[in-house]
Amino acid sequence: MVTFLRATLGFEPEIMREASERLADAEATSSADHRRAQRDPHTYHSSIYPPGSEFALCHAESQLMSAVVAVLNESLTESVRGFYKLRKAYVTLDGILEAENRYMRTRSGGSLEVTRTPSIESLGSARSARSAKNMPGGFGDEPARGADLPNVPTTSSPSVAKTDLAVDREGIEAIDHAGAADEDDADEFYDADEGQDETRIPATYLGHIDPNGTEEKLRVTSIDTPSTPNFNDVASPRSLPPRHGDNPRFEHDPDSDVFVNPIDVFIHSGSNLCFGLLLLMISMIPPAFNKLLFIIGFRGDRERGIRMLWQASKFHNINGAMAGLIVLGYYNGLVGFCDILPDSKSSDEDPEAVEGYPKHRLEALLADMRTRYPKSQLWLLEEARMQASNRRLEAAVDLLSDKQKSPLKQVEALGMFEKSLNAMYLHDYTLCADSFINCVSLNNWSHALYYYIAGSAHVELYRAAKASSDTKSAHLYAEKATELLRTVPKHAGKKKFMARQLPFDVFVVRKISKWEARSKEWNVPFIDAIGVSPIEEMIYFWNGYKRMAVPHLQHSLEALKWSEDPKRNPHWEKESLDERAVLAVLRAATLRNLGEYEAAKALLRKEVIVHERSLFKGHLKDDWTCPTAHYEIGVNLWMQRSGDRGDGDRELVRECAEWVNTAAKFESYDLDARIGLKITTALDTIKKWGEGR
């Protein structure tokens, strides 16, 4: 677990190799232990789970961590293998959780309906037997083996458990074969069947369609169709999935009389951790990577996943700690990165709320974790992220300036990176540049990005010094900015993700090339060929505007004024359409965060939307502005809702869905996966709003 954390926090190749090796050993060991536990009459027999489930869980957890490391690997082959491991882990975890669900129903006398929310989407065809044989869980019509677990007795007697639960091992039996088959699975991949009309794979995920007309409810948020939600036909409560309160698994905590044995506690917390993380990860795949869903074989469920992680975080073991870390990272990182989110409920309305940003619940979780692990720097980092999410950037920087260092170099590097970003949002350019330069020595993930942002900070210092007639300082800042920015291409391309260059590496190299070309064309120094504030552009891509207080947002507007000021920038009249669009998108995002929604929309329509899309395409052009402008208009419409869910809100959300769907259908562009993550979250949120959730 520690090696996995080091690998995923730092991305160092040697640590990732070490993590892969250790996780492979863990897979093999847990598989062997699982087989032994099933045959040993003296092993622990739970009244809830099949024999050996604790080892099945360890095996699935190892596969899940191994899959994450594989996807972060530079090899495309390793990444694809990682996605197949996700499928295997899913089957095992689904079997464990179904056994638990059966026990809960039996314990309550069979009167409680516990509706499962299956995520498997069959992708097979009539001749999928060969593929199913080589992929545990299969892609064909055969149901997951874990779905057929028999009823679990209510007694905790070892003899009863021994006789009645013996057959339950079939639900996680795939592990018995995994150890022997892994080598074959690692080397053999089979293409999914195509061309079969009766099992034709749709272009988009359409949900679980039943023959009674529910297809109409699901068609509204397909990212690949022009359809938009019909909010006049909100789903009735009867047609909605059960609320979390209807699931008894989420009602138990460390004081529960159900999970008394430490092994049962470990299995319950671990299965919720792993399955919740799995559903959460898959649910956030951006539109650009939708085809990966066909490799994995099932679709994620963000709400269900995050509820399971919250449940796991209640328990005082390693699973609870990991779940707490993921929950805090999700809300303070990923939720903080997105714009169109479900409305947050107060703790009085729903103490178990997970929608939006449940501030009080997160604060309680963080306080609990800091009490449990007072010496861990990870929770200090999460506290700083929480401060930034609540627009208290100065407090966040103060926390991250703590002199106490973590024993893990990767945690120290992550803290420095967070400090660098917060300094950028604060427009503390000197601290921002120095901190990103420090990141170079602490982490080797993307030196090109670190040098680029440090150089961009010096561009702002140069412009400020020049405006104040400080010629000496302006000269020094210009030299430093030029040096740092021209260093960027030397460090780009060294790291890869799924055999492709890192998106930010591609982006920053193109920007440098664009400025070099303008410098020659305009016959001006490189520093004066730089256009709209590159630091503000980086702030947008990290969604820093969402973390800024009003004074910081006003500072951003002032920085953006530089472009149109003929005294400070005599080259504006020569600027191309795409550069003007960059200014419009950044200014509109700033205005939106100041609550000036109509002004933001008008600016985007006037400067970007009115032009043909093809005009933004071309060599060295910033082609991300047009799709992003469509998305931004959708965000403004979402923010203009009153919250009463009346006709006005329905119309705003309908129009919002149209703009976001349009943004989702753009061809590839710079950082499309990054914008795509926002779009995926937006579409999911809009769908839930239309369903009345």
Side-chain angles (χ1 to χ4, degrees), residues 104-126:
M104 293 296 180
R105 287 200 294 270
T106 305
R107 186 172 184 268
S108 63
S111 62
L112 183 63
E113 287 289 330
V114 182
T115 305
R116 296 179 66 220
T117 311
S119 298
I120 293 181
E121 178 72 10
S122 175
L123 300 175
S125 71

Side-chain angles (χ1 to χ4, degrees), residues 537-661:
E537 196 173 34
M538 284 292 103
I539 288 173
Y540 178 80
F541 283 124
W542 290 97
N543 211 0
Y545 294 131
K546 189 176 179 180
R547 293 168 171 81
M548 291 183 185
V550 172
H552 310 136
L553 291 166
Q554 295 291 354
H555 193 141
S556 285
L557 287 177
E558 288 299 318
L560 292 170
K561 284 182 180 179
W562 175 90
S563 295
E564 296 176 316
D565 187 341
K567 294 182 179 179
R568 293 185 288 174
N569 178 26
H571 309 295
W572 181 247
E573 293 301 322
K574 296 183 283 187
E575 285 291 7
S576 58
L577 174 63
D578 67 303
E579 193 73 19
R580 293 173 181 270
V582 171
L583 177 63
V585 171
L586 299 182
R587 183 173 283 162
T590 310
L591 291 172
R592 168 171 61 80
N593 280 277
L594 285 168
E596 299 180 30
Y597 306 123
E598 289 299 329
K601 290 190 296 182
L603 179 61
L604 291 168
R605 286 192 169 97
K606 177 184 176 183
E607 299 293 339
V608 186
I609 304 299
V610 70
H611 299 289
E612 289 291 331
R613 298 183 187 182
S614 59
L615 298 177
F616 297 94
K617 293 279 187 180
H619 182 57
L620 301 180
K621 287 188 177 182
D622 284 276
D623 59 357
W624 61 272
T625 52
C626 193
T628 304
H630 284 76
Y631 166 77
E632 278 291 324
I633 290 183
V635 178
N636 278 283
L637 290 163
W638 180 261
M639 297 297 179
Q640 287 183 295
R641 294 171 304 124
S642 65
D644 62 5
R645 300 183 69 88
D647 291 342
D649 277 9
R650 290 175 185 272
E651 178 59 25
L652 286 168
V653 177
R654 184 200 62 77
E655 193 177 349
C656 167
E658 289 182 350
W659 286 98
V660 176
N661 269 293

Side-chain angles (χ1 to χ4, degrees), residues 286-299:
F289 294 95
N290 254 359
K291 289 184 178 179
L292 294 177
L293 293 175
F294 296 126
I295 296 177
I296 300 166
F298 61 91
R299 191 171 180 83

Side-chain angles (χ1 to χ4, degrees), residues 138-195:
F139 279 72
D141 297 326
E142 179 185 359
R145 306 180 79 167
D148 297 325
L149 295 177
N151 287 327
V152 180
T154 58
T155 177
S156 60
S157 169
S159 61
V160 175
K162 178 178 176 181
T163 56
D164 291 351
L165 289 180
V167 290
D168 270 359
R169 69 183 66 178
E170 187 174 344
I172 45 178
E173 187 187 29
I175 295 177
D176 288 342
H177 307 290
D182 273 350
E183 291 184 7
D184 295 335
D185 289 343
D187 295 325
E188 289 189 85
F189 297 102
Y190 296 93
D191 291 332
D193 300 328
E194 296 180 2

Side-chain angles (χ1 to χ4, degrees), residues 658-689:
E658 289 182 350
W659 286 98
V660 176
N661 269 293
T662 301
K665 293 194 286 284
F666 269 78
E667 297 177 355
S668 63
Y669 51 90
D670 276 353
L671 301 176
D672 54 359
R674 197 168 189 82
I675 303 300
L677 178 59
K678 294 185 175 187
I679 291 172
T680 300
T681 302
L683 291 171
D684 183 59
T685 300
I686 293 168
K687 177 182 177 180
K688 289 178 180 177
W689 196 96

Side-chain angles (χ1 to χ4, degrees), residues 364-602:
L365 175 63
L366 180 60
D368 182 29
M369 290 298 173
R370 292 207 69 177
T371 302
R372 288 193 218 171
Y373 313 101
K375 295 182 179 180
S376 175
Q377 293 294 298
L378 281 169
W379 310 113
L380 185 67
L381 173 62
E382 291 303 331
E383 184 175 350
R385 284 177 168 173
M386 187 177 290
Q387 293 285 2
S389 296
N390 289 295
R391 300 181 184 263
R392 295 192 287 266
L393 292 169
E394 292 85 355
V397 171
D398 288 343
L399 283 169
L400 294 168
S401 300
D402 192 301
K403 301 299 181 182
Q404 185 177 355
K405 293 186 177 181
S406 170
L408 288 180
K409 176 185 174 184
Q410 293 77 17
V411 175
E412 183 183 351
L414 192 58
M416 182 59 68
F417 183 72
E418 287 291 329
K419 179 180 178 180
S420 305
L421 290 176
N422 289 330
M424 179 170 72
Y425 308 151
L426 283 170
H427 304 96
D428 188 338
Y429 302 124
T430 301
L431 178 61
C432 173
D434 292 345
S435 299
F436 271 111
I437 294 300
N438 285 336
C439 286
V440 173
S441 61
L442 292 171
N443 176 274
N444 61 1
W445 176 240
S446 181
H447 287 182
L449 176 64
Y450 303 156
Y451 283 119
Y452 179 84
I453 298 181
S456 298
H458 280 280
V459 170
E460 296 301 322
L461 291 170
Y462 159 73
R463 290 175 176 177
K466 188 177 180 181
S468 61
S469 302
D470 187 349
T471 307
K472 182 179 179 180
S473 296
H475 178 71
L476 293 174
Y477 290 135
E479 283 189 340
K480 189 63 176 178
T482 302
E483 175 192 347
L484 290 170
L485 291 172
R486 282 181 167 161
T487 300
V488 169
K490 301 175 185 177
H491 295 275
K494 294 184 178 181
K495 289 287 181 181
K496 289 183 171 58
F497 176 72
M498 294 180 65
R500 299 171 62 185
Q501 285 193 43
L502 299 179
F504 264 118
D505 280 12
V506 175
F507 177 83
V508 298
V509 168
R510 180 190 60 77
K511 295 291 285 191
I512 301 299
S513 299
K514 179 179 182 179
W515 298 335
E516 292 282 15
R518 285 150 57 106
S519 175
K520 294 177 182 178
E521 180 184 349
W522 296 351
N523 193 27
V524 296
F526 173 81
I527 189 72
D528 292 325
I530 298 173
V532 177
S533 172
I535 205 80
E536 293 296 328
E537 196 173 34
M538 284 292 103
I539 288 173
Y540 178 80
F541 283 124
W542 290 97
N543 211 0
Y545 294 131
K546 189 176 179 180
R547 293 168 171 81
M548 291 183 185
V550 172
H552 310 136
L553 291 166
Q554 295 291 354
H555 193 141
S556 285
L557 287 177
E558 288 299 318
L560 292 170
K561 284 182 180 179
W562 175 90
S563 295
E564 296 176 316
D565 187 341
K567 294 182 179 179
R568 293 185 288 174
N569 178 26
H571 309 295
W572 181 247
E573 293 301 322
K574 296 183 283 187
E575 285 291 7
S576 58
L577 174 63
D578 67 303
E579 193 73 19
R580 293 173 181 270
V582 171
L583 177 63
V585 171
L586 299 182
R587 183 173 283 162
T590 310
L591 291 172
R592 168 171 61 80
N593 280 277
L594 285 168
E596 299 180 30
Y597 306 123
E598 289 299 329
K601 290 190 296 182

